[in-house]
């Protein structure tokens, strides 16, 4: 049967899913039917992760249990730390995270993905341990010892603590938690699709997440948040923003943090991130990068908005992380340690009615070519 080929599978549904929905024309993102803005205002990352994974908000008792389970499983084996110590400190943290997550699976070898109980504990471990790995790597590569998680601290507070050995101001932990909510899930993006393909082979969830981490790393996907801050730093001052944007447009260079396959208006996550920027700066002082970003958005809008290109989630997130003192190359791992809940939700959904992904191709090569011996070529 002939098929239309859609480059990048644009507009081709790869699954039916009840996890999240994007209305790209109206700029609406919902997780399990709840607007992401509402979740930022009312929920926490851990509660949102539960919502994504299990399809509904937890009762108080369920949340208590989930929180206890995740908190209890934050520690990582010393051999994972040893593995991280062996990696070159100049290496990208996404590579270290991918290696450590793949290795995690070797410590928890339950391969039967039909075992519901086992799947629950895999989800708990992955949600719990990714932040510990990210923080451990961030410290090890500069010669510091990793810091063990503290059970008396919430998810985001504990992450700051493992990174810096001090407890972050409550507003910072709160804002960071909202950033995690905003990054937790986003329909059929490249890393989720990658995870689904891996999941459809019935591979274990550590392998599923490791493959998703690989896809997230690229600059057209999660890697854009890092590129944005590099670009804003390169621009350096508000006065240079317009000429930078004009040059980029003339050279047909893509502006990082702009554009989206689905959104044809401003990404609602970018709008919330801007509000978070303002809350953060009201307490901790402004960031010159933010002023530059506003000017870039205004200047780029003049040529790009008519094409449906606006800031996406990656445009303002890095400014927040930068203000909180985080290294630029940690931005995409932060994305991963949040998105893991979305990836796992899709993994569980895929398992319910699994069908191996095995798309077709349109062959454009030759047939019946003769084999020419090497001395006659
Ligand atoms: N700056 C300037 N022009 C752009 C941009 C941009 N950021 N994005 C798209 N365009 C133009 C593109 O040049 C093309 O123009 P023309 O039709 O004249 O050739 C047109 O818009 C369509 O672009 P496309 O790349 O074919 O569209 P797509 O749907 O494949 O693009 C995208 C989606 C995210 C890959 C793209 O917008 C992009 O490369 N953006 C920059 C990277 C980025 O910010 N990525 C993060 C995406 S959101 C979060 C995430 O997934 O992690």
């Amino acid at each position: 049967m002939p098929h239309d080929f859609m480059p990048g599978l644009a507009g081709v549904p790869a699954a039916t899913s009840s996890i999240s929905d994007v209305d790209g024309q109206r700029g609406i993102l919902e997780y399990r039917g709840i607007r992401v803005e509402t979740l930022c205002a009312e929920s926490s990352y851990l509660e949102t992760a539960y919502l994504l994974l299990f399809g509904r908000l937890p009762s108080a008792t369920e949340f208590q249990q989930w929180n206890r389970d995740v908190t209890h499983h934050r520690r990582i084996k010393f051999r994972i730390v040893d593995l991280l110590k062996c990696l070159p400190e100049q290496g990208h943290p996404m590579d270290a995270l991918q290696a450590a997550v793949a290795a995690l699976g070797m410590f928890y070898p339950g391969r039967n993905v039909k075992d519901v109980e086992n799947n629950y504990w895999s989800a708990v471990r992955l949600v719990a341990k990714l932040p510990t790995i990210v923080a451990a790597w961030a410290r090890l590569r500069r010669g510091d010892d990793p810091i063990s998680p503290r059970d008396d601290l919430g998810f985001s507070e504990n992450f700051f603590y493992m990174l810096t050995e001090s407890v972050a101001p409550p507003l910072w932990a709160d804002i960071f938690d909202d950033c995690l909510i905003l990054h937790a899930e986003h329909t059929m993006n490249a890393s989720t699709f990658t995870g689904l393909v891996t999941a459809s082979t019935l591979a274990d969830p550590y392998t599923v997440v490791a493959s998703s981490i690989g896809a997230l790393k690229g600059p057209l996907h999660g890697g854009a948040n890092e590129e944005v801050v590099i670009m804003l730093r390169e621009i350096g001052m508000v006065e240079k923003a317009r000429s930078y944007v004009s040059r980029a447009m003339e050279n047909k260079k893509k502006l990082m943090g702009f554009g989206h396959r689905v959104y044809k208006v401003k990404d609602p996550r970018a709008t919330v991130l801007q509000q978070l920027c303002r809350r953060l700066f009201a307490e901790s002082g402004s960031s010159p990068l933010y002023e530059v970003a506003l000017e870039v958005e205004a200047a780029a809008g003049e040529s790009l908005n008519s094409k449906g290109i606006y800031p996406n989630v990656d445009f303002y997130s890095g400014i927040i992380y930068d203000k909180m003192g985080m290294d630029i190359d940690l931005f995409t791992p932060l994305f991963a340690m949040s998105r893991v809940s979305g990836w796992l939700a899709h993994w569980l959904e895929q398992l319910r009615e699994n069908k191996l992904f095995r798309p077709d191709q349109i062959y454009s090569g030759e047939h019946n070519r003769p084999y020419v011996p090497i001395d006659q070529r």
Side-chain angles (χ1 to χ4, degrees):
M1 190 177 23
H3 298 281
D4 289 333
F5 168 53
M6 303 302 289
L9 297 183
V12 179
T16 48
S17 177
S18 61
I19 300 168
S20 66
D21 188 45
V22 170
D23 181 334
Q25 300 299 330
R26 293 194 295 153
I28 295 174
L29 169 60
E30 293 170 330
Y31 297 166
R32 302 283 188 187
I34 304 178
R35 292 276 287 257
V36 78
E37 295 87 343
T38 310
L39 290 167
C40 282
E42 307 290 343
S43 186
S44 63
Y45 171 70
L46 258 199
E47 188 186 56
T48 298
Y50 186 102
L51 169 73
L52 290 168
L53 284 161
F54 307 114
R56 57 181 173 77
L57 290 168
S59 68
T61 327
E62 285 167 336
F63 183 70
Q64 225 176 17
Q65 183 67 45
W66 168 242
N67 191 16
R68 198 166 38 230
D69 290 344
V70 171
T71 304
H72 185 72
H73 283 84
R74 285 171 180 165
R75 277 165 192 74
I76 51 174
K77 305 263 185 202
F78 77 86
R79 288 215 257 163
I80 295 286
V81 174
D82 286 351
L83 179 138
L84 292 173
K85 282 183 190 164
C86 294
L87 302 175
E89 58 263 30
Q90 309 84 345
H92 198 284
M94 283 296 272
D95 295 330
L97 181 63
Q98 189 183 34
V101 169
L104 264 188
M106 299 167 80
F107 290 96
Y108 308 103
R111 299 278 157 201
N112 181 10
V113 291
K114 294 197 170 73
D115 181 338
V116 175
E117 174 85 7
N118 196 36
N119 288 351
Y120 173 78
W121 290 109
S122 301
V124 165
R125 283 191 206 103
L126 282 157
V127 169
K129 292 184 197 300
L130 258 68
T132 315
I133 296 170
V134 173
W137 172 254
R139 293 182 63 82
L140 283 167
R141 68 174 173 174
R142 49 170 206 255
D144 295 331
D145 275 332
I147 295 171
S148 291
R150 253 178 62 182
D151 288 1
D152 61 318
L153 297 176
F155 192 86
S156 290
E157 287 173 302
N158 176 60
F159 177 67
F160 271 99
Y161 174 71
M162 292 190 298
L163 206 56
T164 63
E165 213 174 358
S166 57
V167 178
L171 180 76
W172 285 27
D174 200 32
I175 288 175
F176 186 73
D177 209 65
D178 281 353
C179 292
L180 295 183
I181 292 176
L182 292 172
H183 287 84
E185 160 62 10
H186 206 249
T187 72
M188 199 50 61
N189 53 81
S191 56
T192 300
F193 181 53
T194 303
L196 274 198
V197 174
T198 310
S200 80
T201 70
L202 301 184
D204 64 273
Y206 302 93
T207 306
V208 169
V209 170
S211 54
S212 292
I213 291 171
L216 185 69
K217 185 186 174 195
L220 294 187
H221 191 11
N225 57 11
E226 182 178 334
E227 301 288 331
V228 169
V229 170
I230 293 170
M231 172 182 80
L232 296 176
R233 284 194 182 159
E234 191 187 323
I235 297 173
M237 54 178 80
V238 174
E239 295 70 25
K240 291 190 177 164
R242 279 188 176 265
S243 56
Y244 181 94
V245 170
S246 314
R247 255 195 330 276
M249 297 296 115
E250 275 159 33
N251 298 328
K252 302 224 169 297
K253 193 176 154 219
K254 279 184 173 174
L255 287 177
M256 289 294 124
F258 277 82
H260 200 277
R261 181 65 62 76
V262 186
Y263 292 116
K264 298 306 158 205
V265 293
K266 190 163 173 175
D267 185 329
R269 299 168 297 175
T271 306
V272 179
L273 285 162
Q274 269 188 278
Q275 290 160 5
L276 296 177
C277 280
R278 288 195 287 269
R279 272 179 70 200
L280 178 64
F281 302 154
E283 185 180 278
S284 308
S286 190
S287 155
L289 295 185
Y290 185 62
E291 305 305 323
V292 176
L294 288 178
E295 191 63 12
V296 170
E297 181 179 351
E302 290 165 18
S303 14
L304 295 180
N305 289 358
S306 58
K307 292 166 89 177
I309 299 169
Y310 290 83
N312 59 48
V313 69
D314 292 319
F315 194 60
Y316 287 105
S317 58
I319 299 173
I320 295 177
Y321 303 147
D322 178 69
K323 183 73 189 173
M324 291 178 173
M326 297 189 193
D327 296 336
I328 288 190
D329 61 0
L330 290 183
F331 298 174
T332 317
L334 301 181
F335 193 153
M337 68 184 227
S338 155
R339 182 57 62 86
V340 68
S341 52
W343 292 330
L344 290 168
H346 284 273
W347 163 64
L348 291 173
E349 192 172 65
Q350 176 69 24
L351 289 180
R352 263 172 233 130
E353 278 183 61
N354 187 49
K355 174 132 176 107
L356 178 73
F357 275 97
R358 202 319 180 178
D360 213 340
Q361 64 166 13
I362 296 168
Y363 179 63
S364 63
E366 297 174 42
H367 288 288
N368 294 322
R369 291 176 79 187
Y371 177 81
V372 181
I374 196 160
D375 58 348
Q376 293 169 34
R377 288 175 216 156

Coordinates of all heavy atoms in Angstrom, one line a residue, residues 10 183 186 189-190 216 218-225 228 248-249 252-264 267 269 304 307 309-310 312-315 335 339, ligand 1:
A10 N 6.3 14.5 10.7 CA 5.5 15.7 11.2 C 4.0 15.4 11.0 O 3.6 15.0 9.9 CB 5.9 16.9 10.4
H183 N 8.8 20.9 32.7 CA 9.6 20.1 31.8 C 9.2 18.6 31.9 O 9.8 17.8 31.2 CB 11.1 20.2 32.1 CG 11.7 21.5 31.7 ND1 11.6 22.7 32.5 CD2 12.3 21.9 30.6 CE1 12.2 23.7 31.8 NE2 12.7 23.2 30.7
H186 N 5.8 16.3 27.5 CA 5.3 17.1 26.4 C 5.0 16.2 25.2 O 5.7 16.3 24.1 CB 6.4 18.1 26.1 CG 5.8 19.3 25.4 ND1 6.1 19.6 24.1 CD2 5.0 20.3 25.8 CE1 5.4 20.7 23.8 NE2 4.8 21.1 24.8
N189 N 7.4 14.0 21.7 CA 8.6 14.7 21.2 C 9.7 13.6 20.9 O 9.4 12.4 21.1 CB 9.1 15.6 22.3 CG 9.2 14.9 23.6 OD1 10.1 14.2 23.9 ND2 8.1 14.9 24.5
A190 N 10.8 14.1 20.5 CA 11.9 13.2 20.0 C 12.3 12.2 21.1 O 12.5 11.0 20.8 CB 13.0 13.9 19.4
L216 N 17.4 13.4 23.9 CA 17.2 14.8 24.5 C 18.4 15.7 24.4 O 18.3 16.9 24.3 CB 16.8 14.6 26.0 CG 16.4 15.9 26.7 CD1 15.1 16.5 26.2 CD2 16.4 15.7 28.2
G218 N 20.4 16.4 22.0 CA 20.7 17.2 20.8 C 20.2 18.7 20.9 O 19.2 18.9 21.5
P219 N 20.9 19.6 20.2 CA 20.5 21.0 20.3 C 19.2 21.4 19.7 O 18.6 22.4 20.0 CB 21.6 21.7 19.5 CG 22.3 20.7 18.7 CD 22.1 19.4 19.4
L220 N 18.6 20.5 18.8 CA 17.3 20.8 18.3 C 16.2 20.4 19.4 O 15.0 20.7 19.2 CB 17.0 20.0 17.0 CG 17.9 20.5 15.8 CD1 17.4 19.8 14.5 CD2 17.8 22.0 15.7
H221 N 16.6 19.7 20.4 CA 15.6 19.2 21.4 C 16.1 19.9 22.8 O 16.2 21.1 22.9 CB 15.6 17.7 21.4 CG 14.5 17.1 22.2 ND1 13.4 17.7 22.7 CD2 14.3 15.7 22.5 CE1 12.6 16.9 23.3 NE2 13.1 15.7 23.3
G222 N 16.4 19.1 23.8 CA 16.7 19.6 25.1 C 17.9 20.4 25.2 O 18.1 21.3 26.0
G223 N 18.9 20.1 24.3 CA 20.2 20.8 24.3 C 20.0 22.3 24.0 O 21.0 23.1 24.2
A224 N 18.8 22.7 23.5 CA 18.7 24.2 23.1 C 18.8 25.1 24.3 O 19.2 26.2 24.2 CB 17.3 24.3 22.4
N225 N 18.4 24.6 25.6 CA 18.4 25.5 26.7 C 19.9 26.0 27.0 O 20.1 27.1 27.4 CB 17.7 24.9 27.9 CG 18.3 23.6 28.4 OD1 19.4 23.1 27.9 ND2 17.7 22.9 29.3
V228 N 20.9 28.5 24.3 CA 20.3 29.9 24.5 C 21.2 30.7 25.4 O 21.5 31.9 25.0 CB 18.9 29.8 25.1 CG1 18.4 31.1 25.5 CG2 17.9 29.1 24.1
A248 N 21.6 37.0 12.3 CA 21.1 35.6 12.3 C 20.1 35.4 11.2 O 20.1 34.4 10.4 CB 20.5 35.2 13.6
M249 N 19.2 36.3 11.0 CA 18.1 36.2 10.0 C 18.7 36.2 8.6 O 18.3 35.4 7.7 CB 17.0 37.3 10.1 CG 16.3 37.3 11.4 SD 15.3 35.9 11.7 CE 16.0 35.1 13.1
K252 N 20.3 33.1 7.7 CA 19.3 32.0 7.8 C 19.8 31.1 9.0 O 19.7 29.8 8.9 CB 19.2 31.2 6.5 CG 18.8 32.0 5.3 CD 17.7 31.3 4.5 CE 17.0 32.1 3.4 NZ 16.2 33.2 3.9
K253 N 20.2 31.7 10.0 CA 20.7 30.9 11.2 C 19.5 30.8 12.2 O 18.8 31.8 12.4 CB 21.8 31.6 11.9 CG 22.5 30.8 12.9 CD 23.7 31.6 13.5 CE 24.0 31.1 14.8 NZ 24.4 32.1 15.8
K254 N 19.2 29.6 12.7 CA 18.1 29.4 13.6 C 18.5 30.0 15.0 O 19.6 29.8 15.5 CB 17.8 28.0 13.8 CG 17.0 27.4 12.7 CD 16.6 26.0 13.0 CE 15.6 25.4 12.0 NZ 15.4 24.0 12.2
L255 N 17.5 30.7 15.6 CA 17.7 31.2 16.9 C 17.3 30.1 17.9 O 16.2 29.6 17.8 CB 16.9 32.4 17.2 CG 17.3 33.7 16.5 CD1 16.3 34.8 16.8 CD2 18.7 34.2 17.0
M256 N 18.3 29.8 18.8 CA 18.0 28.7 19.7 C 16.9 29.2 20.7 O 16.9 30.4 21.1 CB 19.3 28.3 20.5 CG 20.2 27.6 19.6 SD 19.6 26.0 19.1 CE 19.6 26.0 17.4
G257 N 16.0 28.3 21.1 CA 15.0 28.7 22.0 C 13.7 29.3 21.3 O 12.8 29.7 22.0
F258 N 13.8 29.2 20.0 CA 12.6 29.7 19.2 C 12.1 28.6 18.3 O 12.9 27.8 17.8 CB 13.0 30.9 18.3 CG 13.0 32.2 19.0 CD1 14.1 32.6 19.8 CD2 11.9 33.1 18.9 CE1 14.1 33.8 20.4 CE2 11.9 34.3 19.6 CZ 13.0 34.7 20.3
G259 N 10.8 28.6 18.1 CA 10.2 27.7 17.2 C 9.8 26.4 17.8 O 10.4 25.9 18.9
H260 N 8.8 25.7 17.3 CA 8.3 24.5 17.8 C 7.5 23.8 16.7 O 6.8 24.4 15.9 CB 7.5 24.7 19.0 CG 7.3 23.5 19.9 ND1 6.4 22.5 19.6 CD2 8.1 23.0 20.9 CE1 6.6 21.5 20.5 NE2 7.6 21.8 21.3
R261 N 7.7 22.5 16.6 CA 6.9 21.7 15.7 C 5.4 21.9 15.9 O 4.6 21.9 14.9 CB 7.3 20.2 15.8 CG 6.7 19.3 14.8 CD 7.0 19.5 13.4 NE 8.4 19.4 12.9 CZ 9.0 18.2 12.8 NH1 8.5 17.1 13.0 NH2 10.3 18.2 12.4
V262 N 5.0 22.0 17.1 CA 3.5 22.0 17.4 C 3.0 23.4 17.7 O 1.9 23.8 17.2 CB 3.2 21.0 18.6 CG1 1.7 20.9 18.7 CG2 3.8 19.6 18.3
Y263 N 3.7 24.2 18.5 CA 3.2 25.5 18.9 C 3.4 26.5 17.8 O 4.5 26.6 17.2 CB 3.9 26.1 20.1 CG 3.7 25.3 21.4 CD1 4.7 24.7 22.0 CD2 2.4 25.3 22.0 CE1 4.5 24.0 23.2 CE2 2.2 24.6 23.2 CZ 3.2 24.0 23.8 OH 3.0 23.3 25.0
K264 N 2.3 27.1 17.4 CA 2.4 28.2 16.4 C 2.2 29.6 17.1 O 2.1 30.6 16.5 CB 1.4 28.0 15.3 CG 1.7 26.7 14.5 CD 3.2 26.6 14.0 CE 3.6 25.2 13.7 NZ 5.1 25.0 13.8
D267 N 5.0 29.4 23.4 CA 4.9 28.2 24.3 C 4.4 28.6 25.7 O 5.1 29.5 26.3 CB 6.3 27.6 24.3 CG 6.5 26.3 25.0 OD1 5.7 26.1 26.0 OD2 7.4 25.5 24.6
R269 N 4.8 27.4 28.4 CA 5.9 27.1 29.4 C 6.8 28.3 29.4 O 7.3 28.7 30.5 CB 6.6 25.8 29.1 CG 5.7 24.6 29.1 CD 6.3 23.4 28.6 NE 6.7 23.5 27.2 CZ 7.3 22.7 26.4 NH1 7.8 21.5 27.0 NH2 7.6 22.9 25.1
L304 N 9.9 36.7 12.9 CA 9.5 35.3 13.0 C 8.0 35.0 13.4 O 7.5 34.0 13.1 CB 10.4 34.6 14.0 CG 11.9 34.5 13.6 CD1 12.7 33.8 14.7 CD2 12.1 33.7 12.3
K307 N 5.6 33.8 11.0 CA 5.8 32.4 10.5 C 5.4 31.5 11.7 O 5.6 30.2 11.6 CB 7.2 32.2 10.2 CG 7.7 32.9 8.9 CD 9.2 32.9 8.8 CE 9.7 31.7 8.1 NZ 11.2 31.8 7.9
I309 N 6.6 31.5 14.7 CA 7.8 31.1 15.5 C 7.9 32.1 16.7 O 8.1 33.3 16.5 CB 9.1 31.1 14.6 CG1 8.9 30.1 13.5 CG2 10.3 30.8 15.5 CD1 10.0 30.2 12.4
Y310 N 7.9 31.5 17.9 CA 7.9 32.2 19.1 C 8.9 31.5 20.1 O 9.3 30.4 19.8 CB 6.5 32.2 19.8 CG 5.5 33.1 19.0 CD1 4.8 32.6 17.9 CD2 5.2 34.4 19.4 CE1 3.9 33.3 17.2 CE2 4.2 35.1 18.7 CZ 3.6 34.6 17.7 OH 2.7 35.3 17.0
N312 N 10.2 29.2 22.8 CA 9.8 27.9 23.4 C 10.3 27.7 24.8 O 10.9 28.6 25.4 CB 10.2 26.7 22.5 CG 11.7 26.6 22.3 OD1 12.5 26.7 23.2 ND2 12.2 26.5 21.0
V313 N 10.1 26.5 25.4 CA 10.4 26.3 26.8 C 11.9 26.5 27.1 O 12.3 26.9 28.2 CB 10.0 24.8 27.2 CG1 10.9 23.8 26.5 CG2 10.0 24.6 28.7
D314 N 12.7 26.4 26.1 CA 14.2 26.5 26.3 C 14.7 27.9 26.4 O 15.8 28.1 26.7 CB 14.9 25.7 25.3 CG 14.7 24.2 25.4 OD1 14.7 23.7 26.6 OD2 14.5 23.5 24.4
F315 N 13.8 28.9 26.0 CA 14.3 30.2 25.9 C 14.6 30.9 27.3 O 15.6 31.6 27.4 CB 13.4 31.1 25.0 CG 14.0 32.4 24.6 CD1 15.2 32.4 23.8 CD2 13.5 33.6 25.0 CE1 15.8 33.5 23.5 CE2 14.1 34.8 24.6 CZ 15.3 34.8 23.8
F335 N 16.7 19.1 32.7 CA 15.5 18.8 31.8 C 15.2 17.3 32.0 O 14.1 16.8 32.2 CB 15.8 19.2 30.4 CG 14.7 19.2 29.4 CD1 14.8 20.1 28.3 CD2 13.6 18.4 29.5 CE1 13.8 20.2 27.3 CE2 12.6 18.5 28.5 CZ 12.7 19.3 27.4
R339 N 12.0 15.2 33.0 CA 11.3 14.6 31.9 C 11.2 13.0 32.1 O 10.3 12.4 31.5 CB 11.9 14.9 30.6 CG 11.2 14.3 29.3 CD 9.8 14.7 29.2 NE 9.5 16.1 29.0 CZ 9.5 16.8 27.9 NH1 9.8 16.2 26.8 NH2 9.3 18.1 27.9
Ligands
LIG1 N1 15.0 30.5 14.3 C1 14.8 31.0 13.0 N2 14.0 30.4 12.1 C2 13.4 29.2 12.5 C3 13.5 28.7 13.8 C4 14.4 29.4 14.7 N3 14.6 29.0 15.9 N4 12.8 27.6 13.9 C5 12.3 27.4 12.7 N5 12.6 28.4 11.9 C6 12.2 28.5 10.5 C7 13.1 27.6 9.6 O1 14.3 28.2 9.2 C8 12.2 27.3 8.5 O2 12.1 28.5 7.6 P1 11.9 28.3 6.0 O3 10.5 27.7 5.9 O4 12.0 29.7 5.6 O5 13.0 27.4 5.6 C9 10.8 27.2 9.1 O6 10.9 28.0 10.3 C10 10.4 25.8 9.5 O7 11.5 25.3 10.3 P2 11.8 23.7 10.6 O8 13.0 23.6 11.3 O9 11.6 23.0 9.3 O10 10.5 23.4 11.5 P3 10.4 22.3 12.6 O11 9.0 22.1 12.9 O12 11.1 21.1 12.1 O13 11.2 23.0 13.7 C11 12.4 23.1 15.7 C12 11.1 22.8 15.1 C13 12.3 23.1 17.2 C14 13.4 22.0 15.3 C15 13.0 24.4 15.2 O14 12.1 25.4 15.4 C16 14.3 24.7 15.7 O15 15.3 24.2 15.2 N6 14.4 25.6 16.8 C17 15.7 25.9 17.4 C18 16.1 24.8 18.4 C19 15.2 24.8 19.6 O16 14.9 25.9 20.2 N7 14.8 23.6 20.0 C20 13.9 23.4 21.2 C21 12.6 23.0 20.8 S1 11.3 23.1 22.1 C22 11.8 22.1 23.4 C23 12.4 20.8 23.1 O17 12.0 20.1 22.3 O18 13.4 20.5 23.8

